[in-house]
Amino acid sequence: MAKRIAALEAGGIAEQLGLREGDVLFSINGEAVLDTIDYQALTCEAHIELSTSRGDFSFDKEEYEPLGVWLEADGVRLCVNHCPFCFVDQLPPHVRESMRVKDDDWRQSLIMGNFVTLTNVYGRELDRIIRRGASPLYISVHATRPELRRQLLGCARGGEILDTLSRLKEGGISYHLQAVLCPGLNDGAALEETVADLWALRPAALSLALVPVGLTKFREGLAPLRPFMPEEARAVLAIADRWREKCLREAGMRFVFPSDEFYLLAGRELPEDETYEDYPQIDNGVGMLRLFAEEYRAAHAQLRLKARKSARVILATGVSAAPFFADLLQKYPVGNVRVEVRAIRNAFFGESVTVAGLVTGGDLIAQLSGARADAVLITRTMLRAGEEVFLDDTTLEQVTSALGMPVIPVDRPGDALVDALTEFSEG
């Protein structure tokens, strides 16, 4: 195996050696370079022996000193599963093709925190994860009972998860875990069994998120699944509560973290800030609203506002979080800014999809047309990372033009919303 050099840092070690863009890197210190993970791990050493298409080089440097090399992009390890709840299989027919890529790449789990199932990892690749110290990983378990996990993943190797997790534990690899729950399949007794099996893997097992299955309206020809009912959500939370108390008694940690969606669906108050410990799975929708409220209240308490004018603002969000924002903004208003919270129904994916991050530009236009305000505030998570484009390829500029008022993306932390509202009152 080999990797091609895509770019070099001007004046860096590699350029000084005479390497050039397009050269091929075969090995470092006698080990083949399969990808960027190998490159980063192997170049940390103080003594380096490079084998390249331009020749072999041997030299010393400072530990962790970079060589100044950017390699060509790694290929994506694709998913081999056929999960009945796979979100990609439920996408509208007209979405861009990049959204249809089913990745299941442990390297992105390490780098980006993506959840992977590890059904495409075994043998030497599992050994490489351990050898490279790829920790922590983010792993989708869903269920530990072998036959049930095989059913949930649609993959024969799905039943080996406890063996895989045990091997990782023995190799010193830690991991955060998640279970996407489907009512009647892996909740109830199956969930009790899953939590018990994963708790037994501590300290390698760091946390377990419980997330309700996400279903769109595009499920023709797929397995019959349904969303959780409020009483079923309350049953999941009851199991989680018992285990959180047990884990806290035994090890001083709560371990099990239901997502915000379960609390909203069950009509229960969100847990307090300290119960989320260090928010280990916030990107999985676990504690996101609680942390937002804490940040918002802290920023609000520091306000020394000189309200110069009144303003009217629309806060557009998903259906599930709309009551939360309405309550928070009513209790902690900013100056003379009147905020109307608008719950945007998801016509693009289907109204069973209620999270703010999946609201599209088209739905904003359709449901806010005719509304009048000084601006519309949205969460930046509605947009592609680093771009001003919604999931339906509508641009922020198009939405602003169609609505005839500014549409302003606000970063996720709660203090960012305080800052945005302050601008209207003081500006």
PDB file of all heavy atoms in Angstrom, residues 270-283:
ATOM      1  N   LEU A 270     -36.079  18.281  31.464  1.00  0.00           N
ATOM      2  CA  LEU A 270     -34.712  17.853  31.176  1.00  0.00           C
ATOM      3  C   LEU A 270     -33.938  17.716  32.478  1.00  0.00           C
ATOM      4  O   LEU A 270     -34.164  18.471  33.434  1.00  0.00           O
ATOM      5  CB  LEU A 270     -34.016  18.870  30.285  1.00  0.00           C
ATOM      6  CG  LEU A 270     -34.580  19.038  28.869  1.00  0.00           C
ATOM      7  CD1 LEU A 270     -33.968  20.264  28.216  1.00  0.00           C
ATOM      8  CD2 LEU A 270     -34.311  17.790  28.041  1.00  0.00           C
ATOM      9  N   PRO A 271     -33.017  16.763  32.576  1.00  0.00           N
ATOM     10  CA  PRO A 271     -32.190  16.647  33.780  1.00  0.00           C
ATOM     11  C   PRO A 271     -31.367  17.915  34.010  1.00  0.00           C
ATOM     12  O   PRO A 271     -31.133  18.703  33.093  1.00  0.00           O
ATOM     13  CB  PRO A 271     -31.282  15.449  33.474  1.00  0.00           C
ATOM     14  CG  PRO A 271     -32.035  14.661  32.447  1.00  0.00           C
ATOM     15  CD  PRO A 271     -32.761  15.678  31.616  1.00  0.00           C
ATOM     16  N   GLU A 272     -30.897  18.081  35.229  1.00  0.00           N
ATOM     17  CA  GLU A 272     -30.096  19.244  35.573  1.00  0.00           C
ATOM     18  C   GLU A 272     -28.700  19.156  34.957  1.00  0.00           C
ATOM     19  O   GLU A 272     -28.225  18.076  34.577  1.00  0.00           O
ATOM     20  CB  GLU A 272     -29.990  19.379  37.096  1.00  0.00           C
ATOM     21  CG  GLU A 272     -31.302  19.706  37.781  1.00  0.00           C
ATOM     22  CD  GLU A 272     -31.924  20.991  37.249  1.00  0.00           C
ATOM     23  OE1 GLU A 272     -31.179  21.999  37.115  1.00  0.00           O
ATOM     24  OE2 GLU A 272     -33.132  20.997  36.962  1.00  0.00           O
ATOM     25  N   ASP A 273     -28.054  20.289  34.897  1.00  0.00           N
ATOM     26  CA  ASP A 273     -26.754  20.407  34.232  1.00  0.00           C
ATOM     27  C   ASP A 273     -25.735  19.396  34.742  1.00  0.00           C
ATOM     28  O   ASP A 273     -25.061  18.715  33.960  1.00  0.00           O
ATOM     29  CB  ASP A 273     -26.243  21.843  34.420  1.00  0.00           C
ATOM     30  CG  ASP A 273     -24.848  22.053  33.884  1.00  0.00           C
ATOM     31  OD1 ASP A 273     -24.640  21.853  32.674  1.00  0.00           O
ATOM     32  OD2 ASP A 273     -23.962  22.419  34.671  1.00  0.00           O
ATOM     33  N   GLU A 274     -25.616  19.265  36.055  1.00  0.00           N
ATOM     34  CA  GLU A 274     -24.566  18.409  36.611  1.00  0.00           C
ATOM     35  C   GLU A 274     -24.784  16.934  36.304  1.00  0.00           C
ATOM     36  O   GLU A 274     -23.838  16.139  36.323  1.00  0.00           O
ATOM     37  CB  GLU A 274     -24.445  18.608  38.128  1.00  0.00           C
ATOM     38  CG  GLU A 274     -25.667  18.197  38.940  1.00  0.00           C
ATOM     39  CD  GLU A 274     -26.693  19.312  39.070  1.00  0.00           C
ATOM     40  OE1 GLU A 274     -26.552  20.345  38.377  1.00  0.00           O
ATOM     41  OE2 GLU A 274     -27.646  19.154  39.871  1.00  0.00           O
ATOM     42  N   THR A 275     -26.017  16.535  36.013  1.00  0.00           N
ATOM     43  CA  THR A 275     -26.275  15.117  35.739  1.00  0.00           C
ATOM     44  C   THR A 275     -25.760  14.685  34.369  1.00  0.00           C
ATOM     45  O   THR A 275     -25.681  13.489  34.096  1.00  0.00           O
ATOM     46  CB  THR A 275     -27.776  14.799  35.844  1.00  0.00           C
ATOM     47  OG1 THR A 275     -28.480  15.451  34.786  1.00  0.00           O
ATOM     48  CG2 THR A 275     -28.334  15.244  37.183  1.00  0.00           C
ATOM     49  N   TYR A 276     -25.434  15.648  33.517  1.00  0.00           N
ATOM     50  CA  TYR A 276     -24.851  15.300  32.214  1.00  0.00           C
ATOM     51  C   TYR A 276     -23.340  15.127  32.301  1.00  0.00           C
ATOM     52  O   TYR A 276     -22.677  14.867  31.299  1.00  0.00           O
ATOM     53  CB  TYR A 276     -25.194  16.369  31.173  1.00  0.00           C
ATOM     54  CG  TYR A 276     -26.631  16.284  30.708  1.00  0.00           C
ATOM     55  CD1 TYR A 276     -27.587  17.157  31.204  1.00  0.00           C
ATOM     56  CD2 TYR A 276     -27.024  15.322  29.781  1.00  0.00           C
ATOM     57  CE1 TYR A 276     -28.906  17.079  30.788  1.00  0.00           C
ATOM     58  CE2 TYR A 276     -28.342  15.235  29.364  1.00  0.00           C
ATOM     59  CZ  TYR A 276     -29.275  16.123  29.871  1.00  0.00           C
ATOM     60  OH  TYR A 276     -30.591  16.025  29.454  1.00  0.00           O
ATOM     61  N   GLU A 277     -22.805  15.306  33.539  1.00  0.00           N
ATOM     62  CA  GLU A 277     -21.376  15.143  33.781  1.00  0.00           C
ATOM     63  C   GLU A 277     -20.591  16.032  32.811  1.00  0.00           C
ATOM     64  O   GLU A 277     -20.751  17.240  32.811  1.00  0.00           O
ATOM     65  CB  GLU A 277     -21.018  13.656  33.739  1.00  0.00           C
ATOM     66  CG  GLU A 277     -21.766  12.916  34.867  1.00  0.00           C
ATOM     67  CD  GLU A 277     -21.712  11.406  34.823  1.00  0.00           C
ATOM     68  OE1 GLU A 277     -21.020  10.841  33.941  1.00  0.00           O
ATOM     69  OE2 GLU A 277     -22.361  10.781  35.685  1.00  0.00           O
ATOM     70  N   ASP A 278     -19.785  15.498  31.914  1.00  0.00           N
ATOM     71  CA  ASP A 278     -19.022  16.367  31.020  1.00  0.00           C
ATOM     72  C   ASP A 278     -19.632  16.417  29.609  1.00  0.00           C
ATOM     73  O   ASP A 278     -18.947  16.695  28.641  1.00  0.00           O
ATOM     74  CB  ASP A 278     -17.565  15.909  30.946  1.00  0.00           C
ATOM     75  CG  ASP A 278     -17.426  14.480  30.416  1.00  0.00           C
ATOM     76  OD1 ASP A 278     -18.465  13.787  30.306  1.00  0.00           O
ATOM     77  OD2 ASP A 278     -16.292  14.056  30.139  1.00  0.00           O
ATOM     78  N   TYR A 279     -20.945  16.149  29.513  1.00  0.00           N
ATOM     79  CA  TYR A 279     -21.655  16.173  28.222  1.00  0.00           C
ATOM     80  C   TYR A 279     -20.914  15.335  27.165  1.00  0.00           C
ATOM     81  O   TYR A 279     -20.551  15.826  26.099  1.00  0.00           O
ATOM     82  CB  TYR A 279     -21.827  17.608  27.727  1.00  0.00           C
ATOM     83  CG  TYR A 279     -22.834  18.412  28.518  1.00  0.00           C
ATOM     84  CD1 TYR A 279     -22.449  19.136  29.639  1.00  0.00           C
ATOM     85  CD2 TYR A 279     -24.174  18.434  28.148  1.00  0.00           C
ATOM     86  CE1 TYR A 279     -23.375  19.871  30.378  1.00  0.00           C
ATOM     87  CE2 TYR A 279     -25.105  19.172  28.878  1.00  0.00           C
ATOM     88  CZ  TYR A 279     -24.693  19.888  29.992  1.00  0.00           C
ATOM     89  OH  TYR A 279     -25.616  20.608  30.708  1.00  0.00           O
ATOM     90  N   PRO A 280     -20.693  14.061  27.428  1.00  0.00           N
ATOM     91  CA  PRO A 280     -19.867  13.257  26.522  1.00  0.00           C
ATOM     92  C   PRO A 280     -20.506  13.003  25.156  1.00  0.00           C
ATOM     93  O   PRO A 280     -19.797  12.654  24.212  1.00  0.00           O
ATOM     94  CB  PRO A 280     -19.688  11.942  27.288  1.00  0.00           C
ATOM     95  CG  PRO A 280     -20.893  11.858  28.170  1.00  0.00           C
ATOM     96  CD  PRO A 280     -21.180  13.273  28.583  1.00  0.00           C
ATOM     97  N   GLN A 281     -21.849  13.144  25.050  1.00  0.00           N
ATOM     98  CA  GLN A 281     -22.496  12.832  23.778  1.00  0.00           C
ATOM     99  C   GLN A 281     -23.401  13.973  23.314  1.00  0.00           C
ATOM    100  O   GLN A 281     -24.462  13.741  22.729  1.00  0.00           O
ATOM    101  CB  GLN A 281     -23.280  11.531  23.915  1.00  0.00           C
ATOM    102  CG  GLN A 281     -22.416  10.335  24.248  1.00  0.00           C
ATOM    103  CD  GLN A 281     -22.808   9.102  23.451  1.00  0.00           C
ATOM    104  OE1 GLN A 281     -23.276   9.175  22.331  1.00  0.00           O
ATOM    105  NE2 GLN A 281     -22.597   7.945  24.044  1.00  0.00           N
ATOM    106  N   ILE A 282     -22.939  15.184  23.518  1.00  0.00           N
ATOM    107  CA  ILE A 282     -23.787  16.323  23.157  1.00  0.00           C
ATOM    108  C   ILE A 282     -24.052  16.376  21.661  1.00  0.00           C
ATOM    109  O   ILE A 282     -25.134  16.777  21.222  1.00  0.00           O
ATOM    110  CB  ILE A 282     -23.166  17.640  23.661  1.00  0.00           C
ATOM    111  CG1 ILE A 282     -24.191  18.773  23.510  1.00  0.00           C
ATOM    112  CG2 ILE A 282     -21.843  17.943  22.962  1.00  0.00           C
ATOM    113  CD1 ILE A 282     -23.850  20.019  24.267  1.00  0.00           C
ATOM    114  N   ASP A 283     -23.092  15.966  20.838  1.00  0.00           N
ATOM    115  CA  ASP A 283     -23.305  15.972  19.393  1.00  0.00           C
ATOM    116  C   ASP A 283     -24.304  14.911  18.950  1.00  0.00           C
ATOM    117  O   ASP A 283     -24.712  14.890  17.784  1.00  0.00           O
ATOM    118  CB  ASP A 283     -21.974  15.775  18.652  1.00  0.00           C
ATOM    119  CG  ASP A 283     -21.087  17.005  18.746  1.00  0.00           C
ATOM    120  OD1 ASP A 283     -21.636  18.113  18.877  1.00  0.00           O
ATOM    121  OD2 ASP A 283     -19.848  16.857  18.695  1.00  0.00           O
TER     122      ASP A 283
END
